[in-house]
Amino acid sequence: PDIASSAPSIHDTTAKSADLSSSASKFWKWQNHDIFTEVRLPVHNDDGRTNKPAVVLLHGFGASTTYWRETMNMLQNEGYEVHALDLLGQGRSSKPVPIETGTSVPPSSPPVEMGANTNEKVEYSINLWAKLVDDYAKEHNVGSDDDRGVVLMGNSLGSLVALAAATGDFVGTIPIDTDESSYLAGTRDEESSSSRIRGICLFNCAVGLNSRNLLKNPTYDPVQRAILNWLFDLFDFFIFDNELLLTYALNNIVTKDLLRDALKSLYTHDPERVDDELVDSFYYPAKSGGSGAVEAIRQIYTNDAGLTPMEMHEKYDDVLDSMPLHLIWGMEDVVTPIDGDVGK
């Protein structure tokens, strides 16, 4: 589905379809990193209050809150409180640079403020981002008033983040997580649950942090799996784990025209919806992120892929079966095809 369209410009992050008091964007400090967020309050309510669940939007790889611009407008106008976040390492959020990294991409001058690149090593994973989402919801009391709860909506990679946040799969799995509990998932026993999740919506759900989870396809025999694993290793060695090559690509290959053409190939029904705002939302984070952008791309392609959505359901079937789960899939999606491992 075409989710992006026409709300706040990357040059002006205040929504134009609603009163200024009902829309806001800001950087939120998380683990010393700057996380870019957008919040929309119900447009028809003078006090911004609603009895509907709060909605948290989680973008896919390389995208940002801009991807959800039309979705945010629609939900806001329907009376929902909406939160959208740029995940760490993507969009306008910080892109941490490990201290030992020596190469760099000359910074550009983006037309909007970007989160500062923090000088520390971060290990990207689905659970890291799920922890970020849970901490954001907790610190901002998302969905806590009147027990409204929260609906998580994710696209592609963001769908897996939504599943990990909803189930609390991240708890105890990452070094920075000192809290052995989850604000969103809560606690659960045979008789009750303190979960704040009221539903999950997955747009074109990804198979994992990267495509290595394709190796888990049960229809592959050992020979097929070995060949595919060898190909992944080959691509990692020559391309995705090659910092110099990735740096060169961001410096010399990535252009606005290239991104525009690539995005138009995905917007097959209405390519004209790929406007300057959407192109800029991909271009400037990549160009201004320096070594942090290179490191984020490198890790996302080469780190452990984590659980597949099928494994997530098998592990937390009692949790996920107890809440509404809505799947939306583009019939002609070429990135995560509906007849692929997850869609089937």
Side-chain angles (χ1 to χ4, degrees):
D2 186 3
I3 303 167
S5 182
S6 61
S9 167
I10 193 169
H11 305 285
D12 177 7
T13 56
T14 302
K16 297 176 176 59
S17 64
D19 185 88
L20 292 180
S21 62
S22 63
S23 304
S25 61
K26 68 173 185 177
F27 285 96
W28 164 62
K29 212 69 166 176
W30 181 73
Q31 302 290 337
N32 297 319
H33 309 297
D34 296 326
I35 305 300
F36 181 72
T37 68
E38 290 196 53
V39 179
R40 305 285 187 86
L41 300 180
V43 70
H44 300 303
N45 297 14
D46 292 337
D47 61 358
R49 295 181 63 83
T50 177
N51 59 359
K52 296 181 178 181
V55 180
V56 178
L57 303 174
L58 305 169
H59 62 78
F61 170 64
S64 64
T65 61
T66 303
Y67 182 79
W68 295 107
R69 50 194 177 162
E70 186 67 15
T71 306
M72 286 191 283
N73 276 347
M74 180 273 295
L75 290 171
Q76 181 181 28
N77 289 327
E78 289 295 320
Y80 287 90
E81 172 192 322
V82 187
H83 300 257
L85 291 74
D86 281 358
L87 299 175
L88 181 66
Q90 303 188 64
R92 293 174 61 180
S93 291
S94 294
K95 297 163 186 67
V97 183
I99 296 173
E100 65 270 20
T101 298
T103 60
S104 64
V105 178
S108 64
S109 299
V112 293
E113 182 182 1
M114 295 285 175
N117 286 6
T118 40
N119 191 22
E120 59 184 274
K121 185 172 180 60
V122 168
E123 184 172 349
Y124 290 104
S125 67
I126 297 299
N127 277 344
L128 175 74
W129 290 320
K131 170 64 175 172
L132 182 158
V133 172
D134 194 76
D135 284 352
Y136 172 86
K138 181 178 181 179
E139 185 169 325
H140 294 84
N141 296 312
V142 178
S144 63
D145 54 310
D146 301 324
D147 197 32
R148 291 184 297 121
V150 178
V151 171
L152 297 177
M153 297 177 64
N155 170 245
S156 190
L157 178 150
S159 293
L160 292 170
V161 177
L163 289 172
T167 58
D169 186 64
F170 65 88
V171 174
T173 66
I174 52 179
I176 63 172
D177 187 12
T178 57
D179 186 357
E180 293 297 320
S181 64
S182 168
Y183 171 83
L184 291 172
T187 58
R188 186 181 184 87
D189 56 36
E190 294 181 358
E191 298 181 356
S192 64
S193 169
S194 62
S195 173
R196 289 182 168 86
I197 301 298
R198 300 294 177 263
I200 308 173
C201 185
L202 310 179
F203 291 80
N204 300 37
C205 186
V207 72
L209 177 66
N210 52 59
S211 296
R212 276 191 178 267
N213 268 355
L214 293 174
L215 294 170
K216 298 176 180 178
N217 188 322
T219 65
Y220 291 155
D221 61 41
V223 174
Q224 290 174 311
R225 191 168 287 109
I227 293 174
L228 189 58
N229 187 60
W230 176 78
L231 289 173
F232 279 127
D233 288 342
L234 204 61
F235 277 109
D236 284 353
F237 181 80
F238 286 106
I239 302 176
F240 301 122
D241 208 14
N242 188 331
E243 188 179 334
L244 290 175
L245 180 61
L246 292 177
T247 301
Y248 177 85
L250 287 185
N251 263 334
N252 303 288
I253 298 177
V254 175
T255 64
K256 288 188 179 183
D257 287 340
L258 177 68
L259 289 171
R260 190 182 305 275
D261 290 342
L263 289 167
K264 282 188 174 182
S265 71
L266 301 178
Y267 283 66
T268 55
H269 292 285
D270 191 2
E272 294 310 309
R273 295 186 74 170
V274 179
D275 55 13
D276 289 344
E277 177 187 6
L278 186 63
V279 172
D280 286 355
S281 73
F282 285 85
Y283 179 82
Y284 285 109
K287 287 291 189 178
S288 65
S291 294
V294 172
E295 180 65 8
I297 295 170
R298 186 191 71 78
Q299 285 200 38
I300 290 171
Y301 274 104
T302 62
N303 282 2
D304 184 270
L307 297 177
T308 66
M310 293 77 75
E311 290 174 322
M312 192 80 75
H313 183 266
E314 183 178 353
K315 184 176 180 180
Y316 298 103
D317 59 336
D318 58 331
V319 175
L320 295 174
D321 288 346
S322 69
M323 61 182 64
L325 183 62
H326 191 53
L327 302 178
I328 298 177
W329 220 289
M331 296 297 292
E332 299 177 19
D333 182 11
V334 296
V335 179
T336 51
I338 194 169
D339 59 352
D341 283 27
V342 180
K344 290 188 292 186

